[in-house]
Amino acid sequence: MAGTGSSRRTFIAGAGAAAATGAVTAGAGATPAAAAPAAPAAPTASPPPAGRRVAVLGGGVAGLTAAHELAERGYAVTVYERRALGGKARSMDVPGSARGGRRPLPAEHGFRFIPGIYHNLPDTMRRIPFPGNAHGVWDNLVAPREMMFARAAGREDLRAPIPWPEHSPAELTPEELRRALTGILQTLVRLPLHESAYFVDRVLVFLTSCDERRTEVWERTPWWDFVRAERMSNEYRRILAVGITRNIVATKAEEASTRTVGTLGEAFVFNLLGRGADGPPDRILNLPTNEAWIDPWEAHLRALGVEFRIGWTVREVRCADGRVSGVAVEGPDGTVQTVTADHYVSALPVEHARRTWSAALRAADPMLGRCDRLQTDWMTGIQFYLTERAPLVHGHLNCIDSPWSLTAIQQAEHWPSRDFPADYGDGTAVDCLSVDISEWDRPGILYGKTAKQCTRDEVAREVWAQLKASLNDTGKTLLTDSKLHSWFLDPGVDGLGTPHPTNQDELLIHPVGTLHNRPSAGTRIPNFFLSGDYVAVDIDLATMEGANASARAAVNSLLDRDGSQAPRCTVRPMYRAPELEAARRHDLWRHRLGLRNVFDLG
């Protein structure tokens, strides 16, 4: 949920556009994501800066990134994590599932997705050693070779290759973009010509909009209104309004910020055109996440001197005389202690972080109070273990018509170094179908209840029914009950089927105006810094990339406050096509005169 988090939401934007370009595919099976650049020298910890100590609150991607960057610069770092390292990105064991010396079945909050638009996170992955890999954990990224839109009610499913190497036009002009996007829509979505043409015009409006128009106008314009969904066909609304927003930003189209949706869509267009890409538009890990990434990361950080306090819950960040004076943490035995350090980096998810900010801390920086306006929603995974591999697709599938907005991937074929039945479980499960549920407040097809109203068993049966409705409706039976071995629903979800369901791992969503409530990494409190996917960074979405970039920004702010001579972290911004800068400058002139964008015909 690459994002998760959240990062997995972005799949549909890239893979959907990829389907129609007709270029070379990624090859048979799971192949290396891209030719890697030269591997950097393995970093070692710098001499300690006069024993300066940093407490990192939270051990997800943001917290581990902050610890990594600080440890390389010689700081003494201790990470406090209430549950398990990796946060929403981690994988986990299915309790009681191992037999005969095998590993437990692998489960997760949701499948990982690390597209080529990411740059900061891949840089960190290259710096995490992994046995046999020249470029560390980064070499564990592989590229699925295709994707599928699974339609319900007898509509034909669409399988399409994901091209890489990419189609790369000689000139990235608005007219070239118009032709490319029109071809994609006509091939992939099959809309009426006038609707395809209108949507392409809206995309050109956004691509050529200046930053001021994006921030002042499109941030406050719902995507539903921007694409004029109300006037269009049901197919247009379903795919280009509802489908895009639920899968990219996990927000309802009627509420989602056009700036957020457009910024990610723009990035994927450039990724597909080979511009500013770290690799293919769709990349996943070649092992369960902890095996491929989180466990090696923990080992590397321990080698750099980072200490971990697992099972310690942050209760309150205290403030006195305008500085953080200490942090109350509850240990595994329930005892509350006060932790002190020279600096503090809050790397908790926003819904948890803001509960720890004391009244005095909030008074010291009013920016923290604006975080109360940030909204979160549910996006949670469930895994189905199969006794026979289903003939679905060699990559991600999107059940575009499913009431609960399901996306999924069969994972075993992308883990080539593992013999799934020999290595995991009881030897009878051969694959893991990992599914993300993006919509928890819409009635399903089996019980007529929302996911939150269902019990855990009912959620599993409902998701399985929706998968079969999307995949078994065109004369072929791809999923059968006889193939189902077992299932596992993220344990962070609790109280399902009761009046008060809870979710420990909610996801930041992006309704209009969200940008203006996102805090900066540096605060007015000189020894307190923020990192997490809710912090304002260039990628305007709750993703692992955003968590990583914000942690780098927090470390840079800390170094500035500390007067450190250590090199600053590189924070790479989203790619901007130089060919469109002239159009954006022209739009800035028009915007300041109160005129529409030149492509905006209303």
Side-chain angles (χ1 to χ4, degrees):
M1 318 223 152
T4 138
S6 43
S7 53
R8 57 196 187 277
R9 292 188 319 277
T10 54
F11 158 68
I12 188 63
T21 60
V24 180
T25 68
T31 58
T44 57
S46 302
R52 304 292 275 173
R53 297 172 300 125
V54 182
V56 175
L57 314 178
V61 171
L64 294 178
T65 301
H68 194 158
E69 299 293 348
L70 287 164
E72 286 187 355
R73 289 158 177 80
Y75 283 83
V77 182
T78 303
V79 176
Y80 296 86
E81 167 57 43
R82 67 187 174 92
R83 189 174 50 187
L85 297 179
K88 291 191 285 288
R90 77 192 190 286
S91 56
M92 62 195 85
D93 296 337
V94 177
S97 62
R99 299 285 188 279
R102 299 178 184 84
R103 302 166 183 254
L105 289 170
E108 56 199 353
H109 169 72
F111 57 76
R112 303 274 62 72
F113 171 59
I114 305 172
I117 67 170
Y118 290 3
H119 288 280
N120 296 293
L121 183 69
D123 172 70
T124 296
M125 298 177 84
R126 290 185 179 94
R127 291 154 47 204
I128 303 170
F130 192 90
N133 287 0
H135 307 99
V137 164
W138 187 87
D139 282 342
N140 289 338
L141 294 175
V142 294
R145 70 176 191 251
E146 62 178 347
M147 53 78 62
M148 180 169 72
F149 285 106
R151 305 304 306 269
R155 298 179 183 181
E156 189 63 34
D157 297 335
L158 175 65
R159 295 170 66 122
I162 299 176
W164 196 263
E166 69 290 341
H167 163 66
S168 183
E171 291 185 89
L172 196 60
T173 62
E175 189 54 37
E176 175 68 28
L177 286 167
R178 185 191 300 276
R179 286 196 294 269
L181 292 170
T182 300
I184 288 170
L185 287 179
Q186 289 178 357
T187 303
L188 178 63
V189 185
R190 303 188 182 102
L191 293 172
L193 289 178
H194 73 278
E195 291 190 350
S196 295
Y198 185 81
F199 185 79
V200 169
D201 278 337
R202 302 312 291 167
V203 172
L204 289 177
V205 168
F206 188 85
L207 290 177
T208 58
S209 286
C210 63
D211 290 340
E212 285 188 16
R213 191 186 299 276
R214 293 185 181 198
T215 300
E216 296 172 10
V217 180
W218 302 141
E219 171 63 20
R220 301 190 182 280
T221 302
W223 181 252
W224 183 270
D225 295 344
F226 181 77
V227 298
R228 307 294 195 271
E230 194 63 41
R231 306 179 188 177
M232 302 299 181
S233 66
N234 183 63
E235 194 78 351
Y236 180 103
R237 292 194 295 269
R238 185 68 186 153
I239 296 176
L240 299 181
V242 175
I244 286 178
T245 54
R246 287 307 304 180
N247 288 281
I248 294 180
V249 296
T251 307
K252 294 178 174 61
E254 295 85 349
E255 303 171 354
S257 158
T258 292
R259 182 185 185 278
T260 297
V261 179
T263 297
L264 268 292
E266 176 183 48
F268 276 110
V269 168
F270 292 146
N271 190 173
L272 286 162
L273 297 178
R275 300 301 185 94
D278 183 80
D282 188 5
R283 298 184 298 188
I284 59 176
L285 291 164
N286 64 0
L287 286 166
T289 308
N290 274 38
E291 294 184 47
W293 175 22
I294 303 301
D295 291 345
W297 201 2
E298 177 187 357
H300 181 56
L301 295 185
R302 288 187 184 276
L304 291 177
V306 176
E307 297 184 4
F308 294 96
R309 300 287 184 267
I310 310 300
W312 293 72
T313 302
V314 178
R315 293 301 182 193
E316 185 180 39
V317 181
R318 295 167 177 164
C319 184
D321 300 322
R323 298 177 60 86
V324 173
S325 57
V327 176
V329 296
E330 182 179 325
D333 62 356
T335 302
V336 176
Q337 302 179 20
T338 299
V339 170
T340 59
D342 297 296
H343 299 285
Y344 304 82
V345 178
S346 177
L348 300 171
V350 65
E351 69 274 18
H352 298 295
R354 59 194 177 197
R355 291 199 294 263
T356 70
W357 298 338
S358 64
L361 190 78
R362 288 168 172 265
D365 190 345
M367 176 182 71
L368 299 177
R370 294 203 302 273
C371 293
D372 293 337
R373 304 172 193 166
L374 296 175
Q375 299 179 38
T376 58
D377 202 350
W378 290 31
M379 185 177 187
T380 303
I382 182 171
Q383 287 77 54
F384 295 97
Y385 303 96
L386 309 178
T387 57
E388 295 179 32
R389 184 168 296 175
L392 301 180
V393 63
H394 302 290
H396 292 91
L397 65 92
N398 187 304
C399 299
I400 194 83
D401 299 313
S402 59
W404 289 1
S405 297
L406 306 179
T407 51
I409 186 169
Q410 284 191 115
Q411 295 184 316
E413 70 173 293
H414 304 292
W415 298 342
S417 65
R418 291 282 179 237
D419 182 331
F420 197 96
D423 291 339
Y424 299 107
D426 61 5
T428 61
V430 303
D431 209 344
C432 173
L433 178 61
S434 188
V435 184
D436 283 341
I437 307 168
S438 296
E439 174 58 77
W440 285 77
D441 295 303
R442 183 180 299 166
I445 63 175
L446 196 60
Y447 299 106
K449 297 191 291 187
T450 70
K452 292 177 182 176
Q453 294 170 334
C454 290
T455 65
R456 297 179 74 86
D457 284 344
E458 289 172 341
V459 166
R461 295 189 189 102
E462 178 70 54
V463 172
W464 187 250
Q466 290 187 30
L467 288 170
K468 290 192 295 183
S470 294
L471 296 167
N472 294 349
D473 63 321
T474 54
K476 297 180 180 179
T477 303
L478 303 182
L479 286 181
T480 63
D481 294 344
S482 63
K483 294 180 181 179
L484 182 57
H485 173 277
S486 57
W487 55 268
F488 182 82
L489 177 62
D490 185 351
V493 174
D494 196 12
L496 291 177
T498 74
H500 303 290
T502 60
N503 189 340
Q504 295 187 54
D505 299 295
E506 295 193 19
L507 187 74
L508 180 72
I509 60 174
H510 301 265
V512 293
T514 296
L515 176 69
H516 305 292
N517 295 320
R518 296 180 70 160
S520 60
T523 74
R524 294 185 184 181
I525 303 148
N527 62 341
F528 185 62
F529 309 90
L530 302 177
S531 67
D533 58 15
Y534 66 99
V535 175
V537 290
D538 199 53
I539 185 168
D540 183 25
L541 190 69
T543 58
M544 294 187 295
E545 174 78 349
N548 184 278
S550 70
R552 291 166 179 246
V555 170
N556 285 346
S557 183
L558 185 154
L559 296 174
D560 291 343
R561 298 277 178 84
D562 214 27
S564 172
Q565 299 302 308
R568 288 348 186 217
C569 308
T570 299
V571 185
R572 185 164 174 177
M574 301 280 282
Y575 175 76
R576 294 179 67 115
E579 297 96 326
L580 297 181
E581 288 305 308
R584 287 176 170 170
R585 287 193 299 270
H586 179 68
D587 187 61
L588 177 60
W589 172 77
R590 292 181 62 88
H591 175 63
R592 290 179 175 175
L593 289 177
L595 301 174
R596 292 173 180 241
N597 179 280
V598 69
F599 291 101
D600 194 348
L601 305 178

